[in-house]
Amino acid sequence: MATQDDFTVTPHSVDGDVDYEQLLDQFGADEVTADQRGRFPDSGHPLVRRGVFYAHRDLDQFLNAATAGEDHALVTGVGPSGPMHIGHVFPFYFAKYLQETAGTTVYIPLSDDEKYFVKDLSLEDIGGYTRDNLLDILAVGFDPERTRLVVDSADADIIYPLASALSTDITQATVEATYGEPENIGHSFYPAVQATHLLLPQLVEGRQPTLVPIGADQDPHVRVCRDVAGKERYDVEKPGALLSKFLPSLDGPGKMSASDDAPNILLTDDRETIREKILTHAYSGGQSSVDDHREQGGDPEVDVSYLLLYYFFEDDDTEVERLAREYREGSLLSGELKELAAEKIADFFEAHQRRREQLGSLEDELEPYRLTEEERQQALGRVGYPDDSAGVRRF
């Protein structure tokens, strides 16, 4: 939890104009270096090359394993509190990039229980969002041989015993110091569940470097988990983290949320809806009139349309540099930049939507991504549960 006069960053809210250097100092993370960026496979990903992932914890261990072809894993998930939006796209497609280029094993937890603890949503609503989110995750196109999807409520037979074992190493004082006063006892217990998510690849498959790409606001989850992983009785490595800057909401600075009042671009939006949202709501770094813009130019660093292209939707570094230069010079107008961003985003989303439409039933599609019985037993055994090959615990 980081609070300054000008901004506040917690796992549940981000307000104000975030100073990323100050945030880095407060969280005690390290800045990603040029050498580390250069070690990512296949010339790196735009999120890495352009410094969107700007800070880390123990990144070198992950890169060493990835480049040497050794076992390594990545954990990235979602809390299903609404339809997935543009801000959810980045970590999943980043994970797919690493899976395709480095053979990374990807674990994807869906924390439907946590959303019930902290959101004013019914279990029925959360269940519907969970199913919807799962379809969007499956549409990304992960390799089922190297991917495991876990839903807290549906996989409670593995998540709850593991979280119970890990919870003995998390004190209430730690929870309150990290997150503030919990809203309820479910919320208070959730850090143990989150630690289970982040350690699950190692509990299932054995000790290996694990990377967690997250927004900087989620770093407290990693810090608590690293404390747990440091206990000698767990034969695991502390999970590393790759911390990203926040994607702005359409109306300007601040983190994009699925549940706030700012308009969001949803993964289900059609081309015309995306265009309308960008043209109507995307905060502009340009001037108030065409003549003034031609004379004074605009500021791409605060222009949401440009930032969307820079963060993810324009892969060509030369092109994003050209757009920034022409915008500053005034030869590229705000409306033109918005049109370009809307077209690029719509192209990407239409491809995603086509893959989603080609999926069969959720139950059939999800089955290859579920933890196997053997994997569940391996995880339980690593935290001290006896072998359950006879099914004794499943009354």
Side-chain angles (χ1 to χ4, degrees):
M1 180 167 57
T3 302
Q4 294 292 320
D5 292 339
D6 299 326
F7 68 90
T8 299
V9 175
T10 77
H12 305 294
S13 67
V14 177
D15 299 303
D17 189 7
V18 178
D19 184 325
Y20 288 103
E21 291 300 320
Q22 196 173 45
L23 193 64
L24 188 150
D25 290 339
Q26 290 180 41
F27 283 176
D30 298 313
E31 187 173 2
V32 177
T33 66
D35 177 70
Q36 288 170 325
R37 289 194 293 269
R39 296 181 62 201
F40 278 83
D42 197 25
S43 302
H45 189 279
L47 292 169
V48 175
R49 295 198 309 267
R50 297 171 189 167
V52 179
F53 282 120
Y54 81 107
H56 75 94
R57 297 180 188 280
D58 292 341
L59 177 59
D60 285 327
Q61 289 89 321
F62 177 86
L63 291 173
N64 290 342
T67 55
E70 299 171 351
D71 289 343
H72 64 286
L74 179 150
V75 179
T76 184
V78 65
S81 61
M84 290 181 68
H85 61 68
I86 196 170
H88 294 121
V89 166
F90 303 151
F92 291 116
Y93 278 94
F94 177 72
K96 184 187 178 185
Y97 143 77
L98 281 173
Q99 187 172 81
E100 292 178 338
T101 58
T104 305
T105 300
V106 176
Y107 276 64
I108 303 174
L110 282 82
S111 52
D112 56 341
D113 51 348
E114 188 232 4
K115 293 307 169 187
Y116 185 63
F117 301 150
V118 301
K119 298 287 186 181
D120 186 19
L121 294 170
S122 69
L123 290 171
E124 181 179 5
D125 287 341
I126 293 172
Y129 292 138
T130 300
R131 296 179 65 85
D132 185 71
N133 289 180
L134 281 168
L135 289 170
D136 274 317
I137 292 169
L138 290 167
V140 173
F142 290 104
D143 176 4
E145 294 296 318
R146 291 184 173 272
T147 310
R148 290 293 177 264
L149 276 71
V150 179
V151 180
D152 285 350
S153 62
D155 293 292
D157 63 321
I158 181 69
I159 295 298
Y160 180 76
L162 294 177
S164 297
L166 299 180
S167 69
T168 60
D169 290 308
I170 304 174
T171 67
Q172 186 64 30
T174 296
V175 172
E176 294 182 6
T178 305
Y179 301 99
E181 186 175 351
E183 297 183 23
N184 49 58
I185 59 173
H187 189 198
S188 181
F189 181 73
Y190 183 72
V193 178
Q194 183 68 58
T196 300
H197 292 162
L198 303 188
L199 293 179
L200 195 56
Q202 298 187 74
L203 295 177
V204 170
E205 302 178 32
R207 189 184 185 101
Q208 59 186 283
T210 305
L211 187 68
V212 186
I214 48 173
D217 58 321
Q218 300 300 302
D219 184 59
H221 295 316
V222 178
R223 298 203 304 272
V224 171
C225 182
R226 284 169 62 86
D227 288 344
V228 174
K231 306 297 181 182
E232 291 185 3
R233 64 194 183 98
Y234 305 120
D235 185 21
V236 295
E237 296 188 15
K238 293 182 178 181
L242 194 56
L243 308 181
S244 77
K245 298 178 180 178
F246 303 122
L247 178 73
S249 63
L250 288 181
D251 57 2
K255 180 188 174 188
M256 183 175 284
S257 168
S259 54
D260 61 20
D261 294 330
N264 290 322
I265 300 175
L266 305 179
L267 268 66
T268 53
D269 284 345
D270 60 25
R271 181 174 292 272
E272 186 53 39
T273 301
I274 292 170
R275 181 177 181 273
E276 180 183 356
K277 287 182 177 180
I278 291 288
L279 295 183
T280 304
H281 299 288
Y283 183 84
S284 170
Q287 305 301 326
S288 57
S289 70
V290 171
D291 289 342
D292 286 345
H293 188 88
R294 295 288 192 198
E295 180 180 347
Q296 302 173 35
D299 182 359
E301 294 185 5
V302 299
D303 190 288
V304 170
S305 298
Y306 175 78
L307 291 174
L308 290 171
L309 293 169
Y310 181 86
Y311 272 39
F312 188 81
F313 292 101
E314 177 52 68
D315 186 63
D316 189 331
D317 292 340
T318 302
E319 178 66 4
V320 294
E321 291 170 4
R322 180 188 70 82
L323 293 174
R325 181 178 66 255
E326 293 183 0
Y327 198 58
R328 290 190 182 97
E329 293 171 349
S331 58
L332 178 65
L333 299 177
S334 295
E336 295 171 333
L337 187 56
K338 287 185 175 187
E339 291 281 6
L340 178 59
E343 181 179 359
K344 288 277 189 177
I345 295 168
D347 287 346
F348 187 95
F349 277 30
E350 283 184 349
H352 178 93
Q353 291 162 9
R354 284 193 297 271
R355 291 191 296 274
R356 175 171 167 154
E357 290 167 1
Q358 292 168 0
L359 295 171
S361 71
L362 176 59
E363 287 73 15
D364 291 342
E365 295 287 349
L366 187 58
E367 187 59 31
Y369 297 89
R370 301 291 300 274
L371 288 167
T372 67
E373 185 61 28
E374 181 182 2
E375 289 169 340
R376 292 167 187 259
Q377 295 306 319
Q378 288 172 341
L380 291 169
R382 286 194 171 95
V383 297
Y385 283 94
D387 178 68
D388 188 35
S389 58
V392 174
R393 281 200 323 280
R394 296 190 300 277
F395 298 106

